Each structure stands twice: as structure tokens, then as C-alpha cells.
Amino acid sequence: MRWRWAIFAGLVLGIGLSWWVSRDSPEQAQARRQRAEQAAAANAEDARPVLYRWRDADGMLQVTAQPPSGKDAGRKYERIDQQPRAGIEVHGNPD
């Protein structure tokens, strides 16, 4: 009968020791949380609907749902939010 208790105690001790060794330190847990928050923010930024504004080889302004590709690949483009941010934004020349 005693050997059953010894096996049980050994299993409990082994499980407890493996948990203790594999757990994250507070610094590791904080770093993991920060990485998760940064990844979530990046995903949210990429998920926002945008348009792309650029000029083709003839100088014509193009506004498309995809960045320039094909013969226009490599051209500079600007990302434009399809849904404007809350508040007032004024852009332009003071003239």
C-alpha cells in the first residue's frame, strides 16, 4: 500500500515541478503581452479599408483599391482611408 502513495506523491511532485519550471516570469509575461498588443494594433491598421492614390506613366491621377502593379509597379502611392477619422481635418495651401 505504501508504494501506491509513493508513486502518487512522485507524480504530484513531478507535475508541480514541471509547471514551476515552464511558467513565465513576470518580465516574460509582460513582454508577451506587449508583443500581442503590437500585433493586434498592426492587424487593426491593416484591416482598415483604404484606397491608393498614385500617378500613372502619363501623369494621370489614379485612385484604386489596389496599389500600383504591372507596368506601374514601383510607383509612389499614398494610402487614403475610405472612412474618414472623427473630427475636422484641413489640408491644402493657405492661398
Side-chain angles (χ1 to χ4, degrees):
M1 278 301 217
R2 288 187 177 208
W3 59 273
R4 289 183 187 170
W5 286 106
I7 291 174
F8 179 72
L11 284 174
V12 169
L13 185 62
I15 291 169
L17 182 62
S18 65
W19 171 80
W20 182 263
V21 170
S22 66
R23 69 182 177 87
D24 286 343
S25 69
E27 294 82 18
Q28 290 171 326
Q30 178 66 21
R32 182 175 295 183
R33 262 187 250 107
Q34 287 176 346
R35 285 193 309 269
E37 289 171 1
Q38 290 170 350
N43 286 342
E45 180 69 24
D46 290 342
R48 288 185 12 226
V50 295
L51 294 173
Y52 298 90
R53 180 170 46 195
W54 49 282
R55 295 203 176 265
D56 63 12
D58 298 327
M60 298 294 295
L61 179 65
Q62 303 289 326
V63 179
T64 60
Q66 301 295 324
S69 61
K71 66 177 182 160
D72 293 315
R75 293 197 176 273
K76 290 183 181 180
Y77 60 87
E78 178 183 2
R79 289 175 55 126
I80 305 168
D81 288 334
Q82 283 186 3
Q83 298 171 345
R85 296 184 183 127
I88 299 173
E89 290 186 25
V90 177
H91 300 280
N93 295 330
D95 300 352

